[in-house]
Amino acid sequence: MSVADKASILISSKSFDPKAYLTAIHPNATYQDLNTGINYLRRAIDARSEAVRVLVEENFDRFVAVKSSTDALYQDMKDGLLADNTEFATKSIKEHLKNAASKSDTVFLPVLENAEKAAKLRSTLGVFERSKFFFNLPGSLLESIQAGRYDVALRDYKKGKYLLESRPGQLLPSSPGSNTDIQQKRIFDKVWSAVEKTMDQMKAALLNRLKETSRTLDEHEKTIEILLELSTSDKPIWVYFDSQHKYILQKVKTVYESSLAKVTGMLSYFYQINI
């Protein structure tokens, strides 16, 4: 059944159709049934009309008084509260709302601005907290090198290199290609340049350690491992071999010269005795 058909059989609908209603609701009703129904409806309507008439008669004065009061109230509102110049009672409300908005701006805007500044400050502090390791790296590397903790310096250097190459957004978040991104790249380059300079000093110090023959074999092995981790262009193993070679040659030369001096002395002594 369509919407229009449903509306035609609804008694409360404006498009109510008695014929459609009887056809849909009472398709099997006889003429006698319909005649009985009509008589019942007439009696019900007459009874309701009588009740309404009695109600109006008993409360007529009240109806008149209410009608008069309503008319007077409407006229007062039309002349006062609902007058055209009051924009139908909205003008004063608009003015109050406007004043309230102005006062709220005066009171709350500084609070909101300070809250925004505080949020930006917290965000900046959070960024620097996450980036503290990277920006402190040149100084921390130098401290580790001066303390002889070369393994710690190597570990921190590799960590900083990983952050710079793989996760720069964790250090200072920015949009690629923006002015901020370009400025941040300059900052990263400056910090990393200082890091590489410090690591070059460490490489030079470790290469010099390999030339110190007074150190143990274990110390030399650890030094070579660190230099190989740093992928230095110098060959740390050959530096070690070369220094050991020179040391051995010097030792041999010293022993030779000492022995030669002793042999020469002995020969001179025997020569003098035989004379």
Side-chain angles (χ1 to χ4, degrees), residues 145-192:
I145 293 170
Q146 290 175 345
R149 294 178 292 151
Y150 299 107
D151 53 340
V152 175
L154 175 63
R155 182 197 64 196
D156 291 345
Y157 170 75
K158 292 171 71 175
K159 180 180 178 181
K161 189 174 183 180
Y162 172 76
L163 289 174
L164 181 66
E165 295 178 351
S166 304
R167 299 185 178 182
Q170 289 187 357
L171 299 175
L172 289 176
S174 63
S175 301
S178 64
N179 292 333
T180 304
D181 183 65
I182 295 173
Q183 292 175 356
Q184 290 178 2
K185 188 177 183 305
R186 292 175 181 171
I187 295 173
F188 291 154
D189 291 343
K190 186 175 181 180
V191 173
W192 198 247

Side-chain angles (χ1 to χ4, degrees), residues 114-146:
N114 290 335
E116 185 177 358
K117 291 179 181 178
K120 290 181 178 179
L121 181 59
R122 283 194 296 269
S123 176
T124 302
L125 290 175
V127 168
F128 280 105
E129 184 64 27
R130 293 195 304 269
S131 309
K132 182 170 63 175
F133 169 80
F134 182 80
F135 290 111
N136 290 339
L137 191 55
S140 64
L141 287 176
L142 187 59
E143 290 179 0
S144 297
I145 293 170
Q146 290 175 345

Side-chain angles (χ1 to χ4, degrees), residues 157 161 191-201 203:
Y157 170 75
K161 189 174 183 180
V191 173
W192 198 247
S193 175
V195 169
E196 291 290 3
K197 184 177 180 181
T198 303
M199 294 307 293
D200 287 340
Q201 296 175 3
K203 293 175 188 177

